[in-house]
Amino acid sequence: MGIVSPGFQGRPRSSQPSLPPGQYLTEDFPVLSAGPTPRVSLDNWEFVVTTEAGAEHRWSWSEMLALPNETPTVDIHCVTRWSKLQTNWKGVSLDTLLAEVETAADYALVHSYGGYTTNLPLEDLLDGQAWLVHQYEGGELPAEHGGPARLLVPHLYFWKSAKWVRGIQLMLTDEPGFWETAGYHDYGDPWREQRYQGD
Ligand SMILES: Nc1nc2c(c(=O)[nH]1)N[C@H]1C(S)=C(S)[C@@H](COP(=O)(O)O)O[C@H]1N2
Ligand SMILES: [Mo]
């Protein structure tokens, strides 16, 4: 053909429309954990939603599995600049888990086994945007990636997708979580490159 100039194929992959600014594509699945991997037995596992009024809604492992499950295929974006496209998960939509929960809260603080926390607006957990997932690519979710179950909120940077999730605290006012307290952005939209406070 002779028309394509040398180097043209070397365009950075981040010019792909499917990648947010400053991100590169990875095929492997890096593990990013701020501490040791907590071991949670399925007999003791529970997921608890606590409202601002103190009401608690609990699901055991078998109760969670018995809920309608969905199989989202989503792109994920870590603030350390890797992105993975078309990842396949199985789990329960937060719309399902929060359907019966009466709340006036605008904010959620997500709690993990092991003590990790992360915050986000409650509306970002609703309308098909977030799942409690327990399978990855057709197998049980590996412990290092958050098994038995993790949160999946793919439209925000992946630190919002709490591994080993234990529950969600609904609140009237915003409260920063682990990385947000350490200087990460309160919201974390990868398309607006909200990596750190002030971005
Ligand atoms: N409980 C817990 N959840 C967590 C983290 C963590 O350290 N602890 N790290 C976060 C960060 S910074 C990222 S990028 C993703 C990494 O998930 P992965 O290890 O499955 O790639 O998990 C997020 N969820
Ligand atoms: Mo991250």
Side-chain angles (χ1 to χ4, degrees):
M1 301 285 288
I3 296 174
V4 176
S5 60
F8 190 69
Q9 289 173 316
R11 289 169 77 191
R13 290 168 123 181
S14 54
S15 66
Q16 282 191 220
S18 49
L19 280 185
Q23 295 294 112
Y24 67 87
L25 204 57
T26 184
E27 298 299 332
D28 53 354
F29 195 176
V31 172
L32 279 110
S33 302
T37 296
R39 298 285 155 179
V40 190
S41 85
L42 298 185
D43 288 341
N44 297 328
W45 185 92
E46 62 175 1
F47 182 76
V48 185
V49 173
T50 309
T51 74
E52 74 281 7
E56 292 184 336
H57 301 253
R58 294 173 183 271
W59 293 265
S60 67
W61 184 254
S62 55
E63 287 168 341
M64 181 276 293
L65 288 183
L67 294 171
N69 270 248
E70 299 180 2
T71 53
T73 298
V74 296
D75 303 342
I76 54 179
H77 312 290
C78 176
V79 71
T80 61
R81 299 187 180 272
W82 57 264
S83 291
K84 254 178 109 53
L85 304 183
Q86 301 278 100
T87 58
N88 296 296
W89 306 82
K90 183 177 182 182
V92 180
S93 169
L94 266 289
D95 292 310
T96 302
L97 291 161
L98 294 172
E100 307 294 318
V101 175
E102 274 189 46
T103 181
D106 285 326
Y107 300 96
L109 187 62
V110 184
H111 294 263
S112 293
Y113 292 99
Y116 183 87
T117 54
T118 188
N119 61 308
L120 64 179
L122 176 55
E123 66 179 5
D124 285 81
L125 291 174
L126 301 173
D127 295 326
Q129 298 186 93
W131 295 265
L132 174 66
V133 294
H134 55 86
Q135 280 194 22
Y136 174 71
E137 301 297 344
E140 67 178 35
L141 181 61
E144 69 268 26
H145 287 301
R150 77 181 297 165
L151 199 67
L152 177 67
V153 193
H155 71 287
L156 300 177
Y157 279 124
F158 210 36
W159 88 77
K160 300 286 184 179
S161 293
K163 305 198 280 190
W164 317 295
V165 68
R166 174 167 69 84
I168 294 176
Q169 184 186 350
L170 300 175
M171 305 183 304
L172 299 175
T173 53
D174 195 13
E175 195 178 300
F178 179 81
W179 283 119
E180 295 85 5
T181 304
Y184 282 63
H185 198 275
D186 193 61
Y187 185 62
D189 180 349
W191 297 96
R192 288 187 276 166
E193 227 177 332
Q194 294 173 335
R195 299 177 191 274
Y196 308 108
Q197 272 170 38
D199 284 351

